[in-house]
């Protein structure tokens, strides 16, 4: 699914160092739905393969939604339009409100070194490239179990390679 992935140091989320992303970044940050001061300066940028996306009938919104379901409020994921020249996901770690990093516990900080944001994004990238599943519509009956998950609608889970 991916055409390219890269990790950037991009300290100002609203004025990105990646010029080709600036237009959709501006649109997103006009009315952010999160505290921008909590966002990490490190960015995982994922370019998706349009042909594979079209073949699998996936949208950028579906992929971003799956990432948000998997990581919740610990990641900030923005994406451009499905009709853009390049299909781009921009993923950043959100620090907790107390200033601690995602995946850490304040009590454990004294005993264990925290993983740096860029290394943590590499782990997230590896997880997304190997383990992520996406939900797609199918005509499978409601009672069928796929991948050990009982489907209450006509949806089922399939694995895809990002």
């Amino acid at each position: 699914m991916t055409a390219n992935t890269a990790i950037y140091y991009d300290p100002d989320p609203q004025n990105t160092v990646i010029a080709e992303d600036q237009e959709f970044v501006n649109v997103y940050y006009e009315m952010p739905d999160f505290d921008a001061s909590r966002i990490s300066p490190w960015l995982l940028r994922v370019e998706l393969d349009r042909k594979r996306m079209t073949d699998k009938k996936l949208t950028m919104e579906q992929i971003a939604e799956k990432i948000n379901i998997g990581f919740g409020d610990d990641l900030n994921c923005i994406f451009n339009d499905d009709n853009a020249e390049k299909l781009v996901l921009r993923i950043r770690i959100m620090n907790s409100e107390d200033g601690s990093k995602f995946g850490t516990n304040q009590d454990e900080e004294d005993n264990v070194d925290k993983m740096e944001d860029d290394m943590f994004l590499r782990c997230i990238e590896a997880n997304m490239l190997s383990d992520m599943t996406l939900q797609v519509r199918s005509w499978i009956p409601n009672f069928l179990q796929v991948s050990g998950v009982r489907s209450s609608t006509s949806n089922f889970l399939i694995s895809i390679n990002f």
Side-chain angles (χ1 to χ4, degrees):
M1 282 299 264
T2 47
N4 186 29
T5 62
I7 294 178
Y8 294 89
Y9 182 75
D10 191 11
D12 184 356
Q14 296 180 34
N15 297 301
T16 181
V17 297
I18 305 163
E20 64 186 309
D21 293 356
Q22 190 64 58
E23 185 177 339
F24 80 88
V25 167
N26 287 345
V27 170
Y28 180 79
Y29 283 103
E30 283 178 2
M31 297 184 68
D33 58 351
F34 64 94
D35 179 2
S37 68
R38 293 180 45 217
I39 205 163
S40 169
W42 289 95
L43 164 71
L44 170 59
R45 186 176 186 270
V46 181
E47 287 182 29
L48 299 172
D49 183 296
R50 179 178 306 283
K51 181 175 179 350
R52 294 174 100 184
M53 292 277 291
T54 303
D55 290 348
K56 294 184 183 289
K57 297 182 175 126
L58 294 171
T59 64
M60 295 295 285
E61 185 175 3
Q62 288 172 315
I63 291 175
E65 182 179 322
K66 184 62 182 175
I67 292 168
N68 288 332
I69 289 169
F71 293 95
D73 292 336
D74 294 320
L75 289 184
N76 171 260
C77 179
I78 67 172
F79 54 93
N80 63 356
D81 186 80
D82 290 306
N83 297 317
E85 183 178 338
K86 289 184 180 178
L87 302 177
V88 176
L89 291 169
R90 294 173 53 94
I91 301 167
R92 293 178 183 262
I93 298 169
M94 295 295 291
N95 296 320
S96 67
E97 291 178 20
D98 65 4
S100 66
K101 295 184 180 191
F102 167 69
T104 63
N105 180 324
Q106 289 291 3
D107 296 335
E108 295 174 359
E109 284 185 19
D110 296 332
N111 301 328
V112 180
D113 290 336
K114 292 188 284 189
M115 186 180 296
E116 294 299 322
D117 285 356
D118 60 328
M119 295 306 296
F120 193 70
L121 280 175
R122 291 236 180 262
C123 292
I124 291 169
E125 174 186 33
N127 176 272
M128 287 174 48
L129 292 173
S130 63
D131 298 335
M132 196 65 98
T133 57
L134 290 177
Q135 199 168 25
V136 290
R137 178 92 31 214
S138 172
W139 296 108
I140 292 181
N142 292 349
F143 58 85
L144 185 63
Q145 284 190 355
V146 179
S147 299
V149 178
R150 179 169 288 281
S151 177
S152 60
T153 66
S154 59
N155 290 335
F156 72 101
L157 297 177
I158 61 168
S159 292
I160 63 163
N161 295 322
F162 266 115

